Amino acid sequence: MRPWVLISGDFVDTGGMDRANAALARYLAQQGIPTHLVAFRADPQLLDRKEVTFHRVPKPLGAYTLGLPLLDRLGRRVARRMARQHRARVLVNGGCCRFGDVNWVHFVNAAWTPQSHRAGFRRAVGRFNHRRGCRDERAALTRARVIIANSRLTAAHITQWIPVAPELIHTVYYGVDRSRFFPLAEAQRIDACHELHFPPDRPLFAFVGGLGDRRKGFDTVLAAWPQISGRIDGALLLVIGSGSEAAAFARIVEDRGLSSSIRFLGRREDVHRVLQCCHAMVAPTRYEAYGLAVHEAICCGVAAIVSRHSGVAERFPRDLEELLLEDVESPGELAARVISWWERRSRLAGALSAFCEELRSRSWEDMSREITQIAQINAPNEG
């Protein structure tokens, strides 16, 4: 049985692409396939499996900026050895490692220029990382034998920005952990709210995402929130995430007298439990290759008001298109769509339930099986 080498930053269940990477590694190990992980971090339970060998990459000063060159170097070393000696399959993420076998693209650096409001050194580091990310993904993708994109949007961005043949690209959607992301009955939702100290009798909205470079659009949400909370009595926004601007956003909330209707939760390990308590999610993302948080919210039975220009939006059925934002820079449009959904939520409940079941029907195992089949058919590794 040919081993696999997976090269990425992290294989953990706390982030979008990290969760997908961990799911693929877990699937390979469950099939009894020797699996080598080259990364900064990996889930301890994954590393306990006898099929998994971990090649840890150091991250000097805890900085990805300093660690990424080391990831590329060790990744290529392990990949070359395993491919030569054991005819291993090698999968890398985007530009993290310049080894030409299977490349799984979760994010196209060239399609998004970070809009940082930081100054001085941090802004310079951000610009450096972006330029390096664009350079590295171009170098890695032009070496790939086969490319896996997480959405049709990602596939289109790859062909727009990177000189690769379109026939090399295959779109494979994410799966979901059905044992965690599922709707609760109302009595169960109330119990969950009490457990997490949320008011069950108030309309609860979620925002999930980083509070750093403004890609996730929290500034748009914040600008729209007075209008939303003014029309939806008792509305409470639960903000899950952290970042360099979190403290500044918290000060704005306090200065504008919004503290009673916006609660910052920081990073959470129980995102699924928070989502199960909520009625809707707001996600006016400026760039989103897919949008796993939206996907998982819908799997919890939560409506999602999301950018039409995100990858996950291409999966929305026609009868829920009114939840898709045309202009993510417009607080007025976001507020109008949230308020419209709230007023029409009972009419849209059936369509949302059907969409929830459709997304929940595809597991992480289904996704992983599809990736390995595409790799087997389209990218024979000749060592």
Side-chain angles (χ1 to χ4, degrees), residues 45-311:
Q45 292 184 347
L46 185 58
L47 298 185
D48 284 341
R49 299 193 63 98
K50 61 181 176 54
E51 301 88 352
V52 175
T53 301
F54 184 41
H55 306 265
R56 189 182 71 83
V57 179
K59 192 164 55 173
L61 303 178
Y64 282 95
T65 300
L66 301 177
L68 286 173
L70 304 179
L71 176 64
D72 176 44
R73 187 180 310 161
L74 181 59
R76 281 186 285 156
R77 185 186 310 156
V78 173
R80 284 194 295 263
R81 175 172 58 83
M82 293 297 297
R84 182 177 62 251
Q85 297 178 1
H86 304 285
R87 299 177 63 243
R89 301 313 310 275
V90 178
L91 180 145
V92 307
N93 281 173
C96 77
C97 181
R98 302 183 187 188
F99 190 87
D101 190 2
V102 183
N103 197 308
W104 189 9
V105 182
H106 301 278
F107 185 100
V108 180
N109 284 276
W112 166 252
T113 301
Q115 301 175 15
S116 176
H117 289 253
R118 296 174 293 183
F121 178 72
R122 286 186 173 182
R123 175 175 289 186
V125 170
R127 289 176 175 173
F128 169 79
N129 285 336
H130 177 65
R131 288 194 299 269
R132 182 175 66 179
C134 292
R135 179 200 67 199
D136 290 349
E137 75 182 0
R138 184 184 183 92
L141 286 168
T142 52
R143 287 173 166 83
R145 290 186 172 95
V146 65
I147 297 170
I148 308 295
N150 61 358
S151 67
R152 295 197 305 271
L153 176 71
T154 298
H157 282 155
I158 294 170
T159 57
Q160 177 182 353
W161 294 99
I162 313 294
V164 298
E167 58 267 22
L168 295 181
I169 305 173
H170 302 262
T171 297
V172 178
Y173 289 124
Y174 290 149
V176 73
D177 183 348
R178 293 180 289 213
S179 68
R180 297 175 66 199
F181 295 94
F182 58 89
L184 297 181
E186 182 59 17
Q188 295 173 314
R189 189 191 75 83
I190 292 173
D191 288 343
C193 285
H194 286 308
E195 177 187 330
L196 297 177
H197 306 289
F198 302 149
D201 56 341
R202 293 178 64 177
L204 301 180
F205 293 81
F207 173 89
V208 181
L211 303 175
D213 70 0
R214 302 205 175 184
R215 180 172 65 88
K216 296 289 187 175
F218 182 70
D219 54 315
T220 302
V221 176
L222 186 55
W225 192 249
Q227 186 176 348
I228 294 170
S229 58
R231 289 285 300 276
I232 301 176
D233 188 41
L236 176 62
L237 177 64
L238 304 173
V239 182
I240 303 172
S242 61
S244 59
E245 291 194 84
F249 282 132
R251 286 194 297 270
I252 292 172
V253 167
E254 185 174 355
D255 291 345
R256 295 180 182 177
L258 299 173
S259 299
S260 63
S261 66
I262 298 178
R263 188 182 298 182
F264 290 90
L265 305 182
R267 287 182 176 271
R268 302 281 296 213
E269 298 291 331
D270 60 346
V271 173
H272 64 293
R273 294 291 288 166
V274 177
L275 291 175
Q276 287 172 327
C277 293
C278 290
H279 298 93
M281 168 185 276
V282 284
T285 50
R286 293 182 168 94
Y287 168 69
E288 192 74 272
Y290 184 71
L292 184 59
V294 171
H295 180 128
E296 291 172 339
I298 293 167
C299 288
C300 291
V302 174
I305 293 84
V306 60
S307 167
R308 180 180 292 277
H309 306 292
S310 61

Side-chain angles (χ1 to χ4, degrees), residues 354-372:
F355 189 28
C356 167
E357 291 309 307
E358 177 187 344
L359 293 186
R360 292 191 69 248
S361 69
R362 180 175 173 81
S363 68
W364 286 119
E365 290 78 13
D366 295 327
M367 176 207 72
S368 300
R369 187 181 305 110
E370 189 174 345
I371 289 174
T372 56

